[in-house]
Amino acid sequence: MKKAATYILLIISLVIFQIQGLGQSNECATDFIHNNRMQTDSVYRKQIHLLESHVNATIENHSSNTLKSTIYTIPVVVHVVHLGEPIGTGSNISDIQIQQAIVALNTRFRNSNGLGADVELEFCLANNDPNGNSTNGINRVDGSSIPNYSANGIKPTGNSCSGAVEVSIKDLSRWPVSDYYNIWVVSEICNGGFVGFASYPVGGLYDGLVIVSTSMTSNSGTLPHEIGHGFFLYHTFNGDGGNVNCPLDTDCSIDGDHICDTPPHKQGDCGLTNPCTSAGVWDNSRYNYMAYCPLVNRFTQGQKDRIRATANVAPRASLLTSEGCGALGSNELSSANLFSIFPNPANTEITIVLPSCNTSQIEISNATGQLIIKDQNKNKIEISTLPNGLYFISVKQGEQNYTQKIIKQ
């Protein structure tokens, strides 16, 4: 009864909740971190360029119809780094507040208000921890002993502000980034200078997003904004030189925010008309979750394609095969008993071990359902030419069809 009551409260909160949320103010530290690393870290710079090429190739190789054919589920874990307060007070926010924030995040990504595009991406609080134990997807740790955290909160790596060292805070509680998207809820960022920041998807032990406790709510636009960064969306005003210039838009696929249905603008432009251009649908930018305008309510089709393409390539692709939100379905469980695949992940070749006495038809499809390889009783299959990402191996024996997932990396 207690669980049912909690669920009812969540539903009621969504019924009365207006999906047109508060905008992400100009307090997102993602740009600062990204620009600093692009200038100082050659490895990071190469990773970003490679990721761009993989994402663009995925978008070009699949039509919008195929990119939107599957609902993806991303397991998340929320690490509440508090200051020692009782649960439900101060920075140690309650379970219900976190649950409502995740539910509201999903309503935004699923376009519940009908004003944008349904990204067909959902986030679930993990119910299996890395050791296979049951969990509610929320970890609580006291960060008050970390130097400067109580006074100033966390300091993003590379920032000169006052605050605790980012990795010291994240080391208090973090789960494998291959299976969980990590969200750290903190007391402050740079003594109140920012409300959130996220890692662009290049992987690493500390990949994920950081958000202040006061913004981890159902009516704040901060969480979808930072998740957007986590799935490789730039600000809609990307390239404005700090609200100085209209972003370049010679080629919308590589200029500005790399999205063609979000007209370029300066971050402070949120009025009835766009001073930078009359082309495109202005509401797609000024009401976008990736803008800094007062009211936000949508992702666009172009952003959807980029998010889903990002989900299909490393490092995000491994999240699609994670069991963080539950065990494999019955078909996949029986598939594991019928045949095995190794290595997985793989980069050049996979070996499929089948029962020797049975004739089987083997098919490989990508994450959008497109048939890539069709073979007959061949246990070694070359995959070196396939783009990195998630694939499905189907084995048909008689009238039965069994499926397992692999990652090409």
Side-chain angles (χ1 to χ4, degrees):
M1 289 297 292
K2 188 174 181 180
K3 288 184 178 179
T6 300
Y7 178 76
I8 291 171
L9 283 174
L10 288 172
I11 297 300
I12 291 174
S13 70
L14 287 179
V15 170
I16 63 175
F17 170 61
Q18 295 296 319
I19 302 302
Q20 191 173 48
L22 298 177
Q24 166 72 30
S25 67
N26 57 344
E27 296 174 343
C28 168
T30 302
D31 269 356
F32 174 87
I33 298 166
H34 171 67
N35 293 336
N36 180 65
R37 294 192 68 183
M38 288 293 285
Q39 294 170 10
T40 63
D41 188 337
S42 61
V43 173
Y44 177 81
R45 189 163 55 247
K46 290 177 182 178
Q47 288 175 317
I48 289 292
H49 292 325
L50 182 61
L51 181 62
E52 284 284 3
S53 66
H54 287 165
V55 168
N56 289 336
T58 302
I59 293 173
E60 291 171 3
N61 289 338
H62 306 296
S63 69
S64 296
N65 286 334
T66 57
L67 276 175
K68 67 181 183 181
S69 62
T70 305
I71 296 174
Y72 298 150
T73 300
I74 306 298
V76 302
V77 55
V78 177
H79 311 280
V80 181
V81 187
H82 56 82
L83 299 175
E85 308 100 323
I87 295 176
T89 60
S91 62
N92 198 3
I93 58 177
S94 67
D95 285 2
I96 189 70
Q97 180 176 328
I98 294 169
Q99 291 161 356
Q100 287 175 337
I102 298 298
V103 172
L105 174 69
N106 285 329
T107 64
R108 289 175 167 107
F109 269 80
R110 294 305 309 273
N111 189 39
S112 295
N113 62 8
L115 297 173
D118 179 359
V119 181
E120 295 186 295
L121 191 73
E122 296 182 352
F123 302 87
C124 62
L125 284 167
N127 54 35
N128 290 325
D129 73 8
N131 296 317
N133 300 316
S134 178
T135 178
N136 66 353
I138 302 171
N139 292 331
R140 299 178 184 277
V141 291
D142 188 339
S144 60
S145 63
I146 303 298
N148 297 320
Y149 185 64
S150 293
N152 301 303
I154 191 173
K155 175 179 69 173
T157 299
N159 198 297
S160 60
C161 71
S162 298
V165 175
E166 178 183 343
V167 297
S168 296
I169 293 297
K170 290 183 173 180
D171 275 338
L172 293 174
S173 182
R174 56 182 171 84
W175 285 5
V177 300
S178 58
D179 294 310
Y180 306 90
Y181 187 81
N182 288 266
I183 298 174
W184 287 273
V185 176
V186 299
S187 58
E188 289 183 292
I189 301 172
C190 290
N191 197 23
F194 303 101
V195 294
F197 62 91
S199 311
Y200 283 119
V202 295
L205 296 176
Y206 303 99
D207 185 16
L209 73 83
V210 175
I211 185 171
V212 297
S213 58
T214 52
S215 291
M216 186 68 176
T217 64
S218 61
N219 66 346
S220 171
T222 302
L223 185 57
H225 180 102
E226 300 303 341
I227 288 280
H229 284 317
F231 280 81
F232 213 24
L233 293 187
Y234 296 111
H235 290 131
T236 53
F237 51 81
N238 191 53
D240 74 344
N243 203 34
V244 175
N245 306 305
C246 290
L248 182 68
D249 196 39
T250 304
D251 183 344
C252 60
S253 66
I254 59 175
D255 294 329
D257 66 349
H258 300 207
I259 305 293
C260 289
D261 57 5
T262 53
H265 69 113
K266 299 191 297 295
Q267 62 184 270
D269 294 336
C270 299
L272 294 177
T273 59
N274 183 0
C276 288
T277 180
S278 59
V281 179
W282 174 218
D283 284 357
N284 279 351
S285 290
R286 65 171 179 151
Y287 291 147
N288 199 283
Y289 290 124
M290 303 310 295
Y292 278 178
C293 295
L295 295 175
V296 291
N297 56 30
R298 72 190 66 187
F299 289 114
T300 67
Q301 180 64 48
Q303 289 174 316
K304 171 182 179 174
D305 291 345
R306 185 173 172 89
I307 289 171
R308 292 177 64 79
T310 299
N312 273 285
V313 300
R316 293 288 178 257
S318 64
L319 294 174
L320 302 183
T321 60
S322 169
E323 295 180 32
C325 282
L328 292 172
S330 59
N331 179 258
E332 289 183 74
L333 285 171
S334 59
S335 297
N337 294 326
L338 176 72
F339 70 99
S340 59
I341 306 169
F342 65 90
N344 188 13
N347 53 34
T348 57
E349 183 183 74
I350 59 172
T351 298
I352 301 176
V353 180
L354 297 160
S356 58
C357 59
N358 294 323
T359 300
S360 304
Q361 179 175 296
I362 300 171
E363 295 181 350
I364 300 182
S365 301
N366 62 21
T368 66
Q370 180 184 7
L371 182 62
I372 304 296
I373 296 174
K374 188 173 183 178
D375 226 320
Q376 183 83 14
N377 263 353
K378 184 177 181 181
N379 69 330
K380 291 187 181 294
I381 299 179
E382 173 71 32
I383 61 169
S384 61
T385 59
L386 297 181
N388 292 350
L390 172 70
Y391 293 87
F392 296 91
I393 309 295
S394 295
V395 173
K396 186 174 183 180
Q397 292 191 325
E399 297 300 318
Q400 298 297 316
N401 192 57
Y402 303 93
T403 302
Q404 290 191 49
K405 302 171 187 174
I406 65 163
I407 295 293
K408 162 67 167 57
Q409 64 180 18

